[in-house]
Amino acid sequence: MVLHAYFVPVDSFSYFSNSKNSEHPMDLNFNKNEDHNKLLLADLRQKFAKVKLGGGEKRIEKLHAEGKMTARERIDYLLDQSSSSIEIGAFAGEGMYSEHGGCPSGGVVVKIGYIAGKQCIVVANDATVKAGAWFPITGKKNLRAQEIAIENRLPIIYLVDSAGVYLPMQDEIFPDKEHFGRIFRNNAIMSSMGITQIAAVMGSCVAGGAYLPIMSDEALIVDKTGSIFLAGSYLVKAAIGENIDNETLGGATTHCEISGVTDYKAKDDKDALDRIRSVVGKIGDYEKAGFNRIKSEKPALEPNDIYGILPKSRSDQYDMMEIIKRLVDESKVDEYKAGYGQSIITCYARIDGWAVGIVANQRTVSKTKKGELQFGGVIYSDSADKATRFIANCNQKKIPLVFLQDVTGFMVGSKSEHGGIIKDGAKMVNAVSNSVVPKFTIVVGNSYGAGNYAMCGKAYDPRLIAAWPSAELAVMGGAQAAKVLMQIEAASLKSKGEVVDAQKEQELFDKIKARYDAQVSPYYAAARLWTDGIIDPLDTRTWISMGIEASDHAPIEKKFNLGVIQV
């Protein structure tokens, strides 16, 4: 059975419950919400602390004993001290590959930060995870890092320390368009675009992976610990019978003084990282896209209130505008079409000084001029029409777009269908698809069905997409999906002559819902890189600000054009 992407579980809304804002800080609901969301945040921090250990403390100690720094230590040393940074894909691989011992953070660490005052993206193999070998998710994460560099024309730094493709899964990483080989194709494309690429070989760099540093603009290699070769000494012996050690075959002296493959020899990790800082510090200025920015101001309303405003239950209503006002400078917004299409908020504001256009799902129940109820989190025809016009306006004015998702889908039923909901929804999807200004998506709560698409889900090329710990991504909510799937399974059992009573139905429902709930978790999505990360709501301003700054490196070359749409 195929579930329609526009399914909206209207009966899931507790729209007579009270929303909460900071005007009543002692309100019981506010306090319960705050406790719940801070527990989610504590769980996030605990999971991240574990991820940061990579392959574990023993492997970290072994790396240190070899005179090497860990991937995270290398990045922290390389980036400007006390400067902002954001990590991409920290939870990549979470809960995956358990039969192979797991792959924390996808075996590679990726951060956007500043080197000698210049914004860059840094990619570092984690040698504590299977010697830095490439799992399928490792390839996907590396490609995501390169995609960010290409879209934003950001300098990219590779800190190489990898044993190459993880052979037990080679069929899932080697031959396809989005597999390992795409990395080197992107190296060539970025070079032609004038995007700076610098590689430091700080450990193993073997087989096909040896092309990555050499296809970069400049390559460094660390003496005694770095090595580059298409085939190591054992394979050379097996293939052609030659006896040679790895250092002589492809060490720093060989490649800096004999082959000329690398450009700089470093005595240790810190020396290599210092040289990178020196090289990056001499890069000239870039042509800017010209997005509007003035002096940054903090929100006038307390950002910490977000934890109490956001309800514990994903079906309860709340006022999304109260969230927005705690994210934007001075808590000031210019709302566009405030009285029309009220299930979507469209407004202009500033985040860390940058001008932005915000498209957000409103989660309060409202009444139209005709006295009709509109459920929060649902996209109606008038809301889709408003959002389409607003997106077009932001493209006209060269204003980056921010999408705040808490959406269950488009409205269904005969009235909506006769009113052209499919046509209006298609117009909104068209506008999102063809938008030429940078887009940024934050999944605040629900992200269900076609609502995910219309609100700029991963398939619609947001420059960055992050989820709060309260997020859920799926075709529909867990209870609704489990109810449908339980009914199908119960009918199947009955057709086989089995007795399915109320207790059996409840057992089926609980089993299916538990499985489905695990799949709607933000960690499930982050593990597969459907989002770039799970973040503390208070880090949202940093993500959006750094994302727009990155986007400002890439002047807009296309014109906004909706193509053919039905009016």
Side-chain angles (χ1 to χ4, degrees), residues 47 91-96 137 140 467-469 471-475 514-534:
K47 287 179 182 290
F91 290 101
E94 177 80 2
M96 299 168 66
I137 196 66
K140 187 173 183 179
W468 290 359
E472 292 186 357
L473 291 84
V475 172
R515 184 176 70 242
Y516 198 89
D517 284 348
Q519 294 178 355
V520 305
S521 161
Y523 295 96
Y524 191 91
R528 289 152 182 80
L529 289 173
W530 301 344
T531 64
D532 291 318
I534 306 171

Side-chain angles (χ1 to χ4, degrees), residues 280-330:
V280 171
K282 296 175 178 63
I283 297 173
D285 204 358
Y286 55 91
E287 184 182 355
K288 295 176 175 63
F291 302 122
N292 185 288
R293 191 182 197 186
I294 61 173
K295 181 185 176 184
S296 174
E297 300 289 349
K298 294 180 179 180
L301 297 177
E302 175 54 58
N304 279 287
D305 287 350
I306 290 172
Y307 302 124
I309 296 168
L310 195 64
K312 178 179 178 179
S313 171
R314 289 286 80 243
S315 62
D316 283 354
Q317 64 166 316
Y318 66 95
D319 187 354
M320 179 63 87
M321 184 59 82
E322 293 299 321
I323 299 285
I324 293 171
K325 287 180 178 179
R326 286 157 176 82
L327 293 175
V328 303
D329 292 13
E330 299 183 281

Side-chain angles (χ1 to χ4, degrees), residues 336-337 346 348 357 385-401 431 435 437 560 562:
Y336 174 82
K337 290 186 179 290
T346 49
Y348 299 106
D385 175 65
K386 176 172 82 170
T388 301
R389 290 172 60 87
F390 182 72
I391 290 167
N393 279 338
C394 287
N395 276 270
Q396 183 88 346
K397 298 178 178 70
K398 204 160 74 171
I399 299 173
L401 285 159
S435 178
V437 295
F560 178 65
L562 282 179

Side-chain angles (χ1 to χ4, degrees), residues 218-466:
E218 296 185 80
L220 304 83
I221 185 168
V222 178
D223 195 21
K224 299 298 185 286
T225 57
S227 59
I228 309 171
F229 33 66
L230 295 181
S233 57
Y234 292 119
L235 186 53
V236 167
K237 172 67 173 176
I240 63 173
E242 180 183 2
N243 287 306
I244 191 169
D245 63 89
N246 283 339
E247 183 64 25
T248 305
L249 181 65
T253 299
T254 295
H255 287 309
C256 287
E257 301 176 16
I258 301 173
S259 72
V261 164
T262 51
D263 307 307
Y264 307 99
K265 183 198 289 188
K267 63 181 181 181
D268 55 25
D269 281 7
K270 288 186 177 181
D271 186 37
L273 298 170
D274 288 338
R275 179 61 64 94
I276 292 173
R277 288 184 58 82
S278 180
V279 172
V280 171
K282 296 175 178 63
I283 297 173
D285 204 358
Y286 55 91
E287 184 182 355
K288 295 176 175 63
F291 302 122
N292 185 288
R293 191 182 197 186
I294 61 173
K295 181 185 176 184
S296 174
E297 300 289 349
K298 294 180 179 180
L301 297 177
E302 175 54 58
N304 279 287
D305 287 350
I306 290 172
Y307 302 124
I309 296 168
L310 195 64
K312 178 179 178 179
S313 171
R314 289 286 80 243
S315 62
D316 283 354
Q317 64 166 316
Y318 66 95
D319 187 354
M320 179 63 87
M321 184 59 82
E322 293 299 321
I323 299 285
I324 293 171
K325 287 180 178 179
R326 286 157 176 82
L327 293 175
V328 303
D329 292 13
E330 299 183 281
S331 300
K332 290 182 178 178
V333 299
D334 298 313
E335 190 168 2
Y336 174 82
K337 290 186 179 290
Y340 177 71
Q342 293 181 60
S343 73
I344 284 184
I345 295 170
T346 49
C347 61
Y348 299 106
R350 290 189 182 274
I351 292 179
D352 197 26
W354 295 102
V356 296
I358 297 174
V359 181
N361 302 111
Q362 177 58 287
R363 286 303 305 264
T364 59
V365 175
S366 59
K367 276 190 177 181
T368 67
K369 289 290 186 181
K370 298 178 181 179
E372 298 168 337
L373 277 180
Q374 287 196 345
F375 297 96
V378 181
I379 302 176
Y380 292 79
S381 284
D382 54 357
S383 303
D385 175 65
K386 176 172 82 170
T388 301
R389 290 172 60 87
F390 182 72
I391 290 167
N393 279 338
C394 287
N395 276 270
Q396 183 88 346
K397 298 178 178 70
K398 204 160 74 171
I399 299 173
L401 285 159
V402 175
F403 293 83
L404 301 178
Q405 289 191 2
D406 195 346
V407 58
T408 55
F410 286 82
M411 191 58 192
V412 297
S414 61
K415 186 171 183 179
S416 293
E417 298 293 359
H418 296 170
I421 184 66
I422 295 176
K423 177 182 64 178
D424 293 319
K427 286 192 291 186
M428 183 177 174
V429 170
N430 197 315
V432 172
S433 302
N434 286 297
S435 178
V436 296
V437 295
K439 300 167 291 191
F440 303 90
T441 301
I442 306 295
V443 187
V444 171
N446 301 328
S447 181
Y448 296 159
N452 170 279
Y453 303 159
M455 290 296 294
C456 197
K458 183 63 182 290
Y460 292 82
D461 297 324
R463 296 292 177 98
L464 294 173
I465 177 170

